[in-house]
Amino acid sequence: AQSVTQLGSHVSVSEGALVLLRCNYSSSVPPYLFWYVQYPNQGLQLLLKYTSAATLVKGINGFEAEFKKSETSFHLTKPSAHMSDAAEYFCAVSLFLSGSARQLTFGSGTQLTVLP
Amino acid sequence: KAGVTQTPRYLIKTRGQQVTLSCSPISGHRSVSWYQQTPGQGLQFLFEYFSETQRNKGNFPGRFSGRQFSNSRSEMNVSTLELGDSALYLCASSLEGRGNTEAFFGQGTRLTVV
């Protein structure tokens, strides 16, 4: 079974400051890992994914994440926060089940506030 | 290419009624999954369909059901609605194959049960 833990349900940063959102996973097999962003009353938008290629993954809007197997972590970072980054962020792990059946397991989410 | 389309965007239903939500996947995507999002439970997997067959199911009561049509469009149905079914229901579509790992989500249907 797989699970995801996001540390910090709320994170506040100043505009221009570093964004760091934490995600730890538990998986019995090599995982596929994702970060999604959700704006109010919207669906989920994929920011980036890790699928066992490069451990440093670059995504959209200047975000990146580093897969660290020894720490079972997949933290999301952005060097300089922008007001438009204010949203809720979800880390997710995907497990391919029998055949190609798939299922995403999400963390509880981190609400990012960007202060002017 | 059009994204995942969910209809309707908003619904208000009375306790005890039933509801049907619709999802049109991205063209060429044959895997469709449904998720429920609530403030208390977060995002939870409901079920996945592929080639008109339910391939995987989450831990929800039998009041929650779904189906997929030959054109990959999917519907989910909730019968005998309860107040706790109020949630954002999200549909996601994916390409088949282990190399195609990401799911693309629609805008969701906001269901309010009163």
Side-chain angles (χ1 to χ4, degrees):
Chain A
Q2 72 275 24
S3 65
V4 174
T5 302
Q6 290 184 241
L7 298 174
S9 58
H10 292 84
V11 170
S12 293
V13 300
S14 297
E15 191 173 19
L18 171 72
V19 175
L20 171 60
L21 304 182
R22 300 177 186 274
C23 172
N24 288 88
Y25 70 91
S26 171
S27 176
S28 57
V29 297
Y32 297 109
L33 294 162
F34 307 85
W35 276 99
Y36 284 89
V37 61
Q38 186 177 38
Y39 298 97
N41 294 316
Q42 299 292 319
L44 300 175
Q45 180 183 10
L46 180 67
L47 280 176
L48 49 80
K49 65 176 182 179
Y50 167 77
T51 56
S52 77
T55 57
L56 183 62
V57 181
K58 293 187 183 300
I60 62 171
N61 301 338
F63 285 94
E64 62 181 38
E66 186 173 8
F67 174 73
K68 292 187 176 180
K69 185 178 179 180
S70 61
E71 299 177 7
T72 61
S73 69
F74 190 57
H75 301 332
L76 182 70
T77 60
K78 182 174 180 178
S80 177
H82 191 273
M83 297 297 289
S84 61
D85 295 327
E88 190 156 22
Y89 292 79
F90 293 93
C91 182
V93 61
S94 178
L95 185 64
F96 280 86
L97 307 171
S98 59
S100 296
R102 62 189 71 190
Q103 174 177 334
L104 283 169
T105 299
F106 288 90
S108 54
T110 297
Q111 182 67 47
L112 175 66
T113 300
V114 181
L115 305 171
Chain B
K1 190 181 268 191
V4 178
T5 303
Q6 291 188 247
T7 56
R9 287 292 311 276
Y10 301 93
L11 267 177
I12 301 176
K13 290 287 187 180
T14 302
R15 192 171 46 183
Q17 287 186 314
Q18 74 166 14
V19 67
T20 299
L21 313 181
S22 179
C23 172
S24 293
I26 293 171
S27 177
H29 289 198
R30 296 166 62 195
S31 169
V32 174
S33 299
W34 289 88
Y35 293 82
Q36 181 196 64
Q37 185 178 24
T38 60
Q41 300 299 315
L43 282 153
Q44 294 185 285
F45 172 77
L46 280 157
F47 27 64
E48 183 210 5
Y49 284 87
F50 177 77
S51 288
E52 303 178 63
T53 301
Q54 187 181 89
R55 192 159 66 174
N56 190 17
K57 188 179 190 307
N59 188 26
F60 277 82
R63 299 186 297 107
F64 292 81
S65 63
R67 59 177 175 170
Q68 187 180 35
F69 302 94
S70 59
N71 62 357
S72 295
R73 190 176 70 84
S74 177
E75 290 181 346
M76 69 163 281
N77 183 278
V78 188
S79 63
T80 319
L81 283 166
E82 301 177 358
L83 296 178
D85 297 333
S86 294
L88 181 66
Y89 290 89
L90 293 165
C91 168
S93 73
S94 305
L95 282 169
E96 188 58 3
R98 295 181 71 92
N100 297 303
T101 55
E102 59 265 50
F104 297 88
F105 284 80
Q107 301 274 57
T109 294
R110 171 77 61 185
L111 172 64
T112 302
V113 181
V114 298

